Amino acid sequence: YYYMQVQSSGHYSPEFNELANAMPQMIWVGLQDGTIIYINSRVHEYQGAQHLPDGSWDWHRMIHPDDLEQTLQHWADARENGTDFEVEHRLCTKTGEYRWHLNRAKPQIGHAGIVTRWYGSSTDIHLQKEAERAFRSSEAAFRASFENASVGMAQVDATTGELLRVNHAFSVMMQRDEVELHKLRFKDFLYPESRDTDWTLLQS
């Protein structure tokens, strides 16, 4: 495990070290002023811990430059108010790759109501962030294709028949503007004499 002692940081039991090193996340402990005095083995495996002259962990170097200012602001706010710390940022690996992490910490409050320790963890959420990015890109491509299609298109709730989305071509075809169309149901556009039957068939 990785252990650093600065000032009167105290000693962590073998049970604590064993538990921290068994976690899949990077685990860290900080003093009230934000000095990081303990990191588990995951940190060293991930990037290789770099230290300040007092022996504490120099975690700033791990954070992507574009994410550092936001991280420092969230961390300062949490320390000032004694509230939970949470931020998403990219951390650099040994190979120079940046991966998204969710960094969270909770304060330990002493008898005088003052924060005495911070207990934090950093969880890799890179695959989740990449999936979200791919989804947003796919959604944007679908929206552009849908809205610019030369044929009338409508997205309909299969249960209620509500028009969830219509494109310009559909509005022109139905000779109604989008506001008016959203007050109707797809069933309203079916031939009156067979409307109920046709709608049942469409739902099946």
Side-chain angles (χ1 to χ4, degrees), residues 4 35 49 59 83 87-88 101 108 111 114 120 127-128 131-132 138-140 146 159 164 174-175 201-202:
M4 292 164 288
T35 301
W59 53 270
T83 54
V87 68
E88 292 182 359
H101 283 72
Q108 180 184 61
H111 295 298
I114 300 174
L127 294 180
Q128 175 186 329
E132 291 173 356
S138 176
E139 176 66 15
F146 181 91
T159 302
L164 304 175
M174 295 303 172
Q175 298 182 350
L201 289 173
L202 286 172

Side-chain angles (χ1 to χ4, degrees), residues 135-154:
F135 176 78
R136 287 194 300 269
S137 177
S138 176
E139 176 66 15
F142 168 77
R143 188 182 306 113
S145 176
F146 181 91
E147 292 174 353
N148 297 318
S150 58
V151 297
M153 300 180 69

Side-chain angles (χ1 to χ4, degrees), residues 44 89 122 144 148:
H44 188 67
H89 53 201
S122 188
N148 297 318

Side-chain angles (χ1 to χ4, degrees), residues 2-3 12 16-17 20-21 27-29 36-40:
Y2 237 76
Y3 174 72
Y12 291 92
F16 178 89
N17 289 312
N21 289 321
I27 304 297
W28 54 273
V29 180
I36 307 302
I37 59 172
Y38 175 92
I39 53 177
N40 70 348

Side-chain angles (χ1 to χ4, degrees), residues 26 46-47 57 59-72 85-94 96-103 122-130 133 136:
M26 289 184 273
Y46 184 82
Q47 199 237 21
W57 177 34
W59 53 270
H60 299 70
R61 297 187 184 186
M62 288 185 70
I63 301 173
H64 192 288
D66 292 344
D67 303 332
L68 182 57
E69 182 178 354
Q70 174 185 259
T71 299
L72 292 175
F85 166 71
E86 180 173 320
V87 68
E88 292 182 359
H89 53 201
R90 288 160 289 182
L91 300 181
C92 188
T93 68
K94 287 182 178 179
E97 174 193 6
Y98 282 95
R99 295 182 63 84
W100 282 99
H101 283 72
L102 173 61
N103 203 337
S122 188
T123 305
D124 190 314
I125 58 170
H126 193 76
L127 294 180
Q128 175 186 329
K129 295 288 285 188
E130 288 295 294
R133 183 191 62 79
R136 287 194 300 269

Side-chain angles (χ1 to χ4, degrees), residues 156-164 184-187 199 203:
V156 182
D157 187 307
T159 302
T160 66
E162 178 186 0
L163 296 175
L164 304 175
L184 302 173
R185 298 290 184 267
F186 190 76
K187 185 177 178 181
W199 177 240
Q203 287 181 297

